[in-house]
Amino acid sequence: MKAVAVTDTGRRMKVNEDCYRIKELKDAVFGVVCDGVGGGQAGELASSVAADAMIRSIEELYRKDMTAASIKNMLSTAAGRANLAVLEEAGRNPATRGMATTMVAALMTQDCAYVVHAGDSRAYLLEKDGVLQVTKDHTMARYLLEQGEIGKEEYENYPNKNIITRAVGAEQQIELDYNECYLQPGERLLLCSDGLYKYVKDPEIFELSKQKNSVRAMVDLAIQRGGSDNITVLMLG
């Protein structure tokens, strides 16, 4: 199993608040993508602190032949540590107080991908015939849609669509979603920040995934279409 990633500041942002980390393990690979929020350099700091904490935890806790339940517990523990790390870092400097970050992370084995996330960074399963969004965006717009307060058309054009309802470092206890994706031969998992899917639609992600330099091609297309945000794409498999 392999992992490849590209991150780009985009056209309009001066700082890249996105961050990714990859760790190759025995019979598995781990990847995490974070998209920081906060004034000044706080978002950049939050994402890197969270991603580094996730990697340290996986390095410490991962064992070969772990059960699905053990992997779920490991990812939950790692995310909890990342949450604490961001809170502690924010408490050291008034300028970074209130910083937080989205996070999507996955451990992939030969036959399954285990995914945790908070916020609106996404995981997609690249299947034989298309792409399946694994994660659900934790945003105010998505919440209002699920509650029936807005319709699908209003959702697509909702102002401030990027307001998130969950994040690493936002609360003392982090609330996560967890998913398991059982893999068919040749299937891969893609993790990304919202800078990608703002500009590149799911069918386009699938078509680009067939290219040799697919991750770079996805980022380049997002930039060509506006690139108003940082863009990060990480592919496992």
Side-chain angles (χ1 to χ4, degrees):
M1 286 173 288
K2 298 179 180 179
V4 61
V6 172
T7 188
D8 197 287
T9 304
R11 285 185 171 181
R12 301 182 188 177
M13 303 291 285
K14 294 182 179 180
V15 175
N16 193 346
E17 296 185 337
D18 284 4
C19 179
Y20 74 85
R21 298 286 186 271
I22 294 168
K23 181 66 180 180
E24 295 183 5
L25 303 160
K26 184 68 175 178
D27 298 326
V29 63
F30 174 81
V32 57
V33 169
C34 295
D35 179 0
V37 294
Q41 302 293 315
E44 182 183 20
L45 179 62
S47 62
S48 63
V49 167
D52 288 342
M54 290 292 291
I55 287 292
R56 288 195 300 270
S57 294
I58 298 303
E59 288 174 338
E60 175 189 341
L61 299 173
Y62 177 76
R63 300 289 183 274
K64 184 181 177 182
D65 299 324
M66 294 179 77
T67 64
S70 296
I71 292 173
K72 180 180 180 180
N73 289 336
M74 176 185 68
L75 293 175
S76 178
T77 298
R81 291 179 180 179
N83 191 65
L84 180 60
V86 173
L87 287 168
E88 289 179 343
E89 188 65 35
R92 295 189 179 100
N93 185 348
T96 60
R97 195 164 295 155
M99 71 179 186
T101 181
T102 72
M103 185 267 291
V104 59
L107 179 84
M108 176 179 276
T109 64
Q110 291 290 346
D111 57 3
C112 191
Y114 307 85
V115 183
V116 292
H117 89 288
D120 63 353
S121 292
R122 291 181 178 177
Y124 290 95
L125 182 62
L126 300 172
E127 300 177 310
K128 180 180 179 180
D129 300 318
V131 59
L132 173 67
Q133 184 179 334
V134 175
T135 54
K136 180 180 74 173
D137 298 342
H138 299 139
T139 62
M140 181 58 67
R142 180 74 186 188
Y143 173 79
L144 293 174
L145 177 66
E146 291 177 344
Q147 296 300 309
E149 296 186 29
I150 61 173
K152 289 185 178 180
E153 184 174 342
E154 291 175 284
Y155 170 75
E156 292 299 329
N157 300 293
Y158 190 79
N160 300 318
K161 196 175 178 181
N162 61 339
I163 296 176
I164 56 176
T165 56
R166 298 189 202 175
V168 177
E171 304 287 347
Q172 289 295 324
Q173 297 294 326
I174 186 172
E175 185 177 0
L176 299 164
D177 280 357
Y178 173 80
N179 293 277
E180 293 180 8
C181 304
Y182 293 95
L183 305 171
Q184 299 299 318
E187 291 184 339
R188 294 166 292 167
L189 192 75
L190 184 143
L191 311 180
C192 69
S193 63
D194 63 340
L196 176 69
Y197 63 79
K198 282 179 182 177
Y199 295 102
V200 185
K201 303 303 182 184
D202 291 6
E204 295 172 320
I205 290 174
F206 177 68
E207 290 302 321
L208 289 169
S209 73
K210 301 174 184 178
Q211 297 185 12
K212 183 177 180 180
N213 297 315
S214 58
V215 171
R216 181 73 254 180
M218 292 177 199
V219 172
D220 286 346
L221 182 57
I223 293 171
Q224 291 168 16
R225 290 181 172 174
S228 63
D229 201 353
N230 307 144
I231 309 145
T232 300
V233 181
L234 190 161
M235 190 179 294
L236 303 172

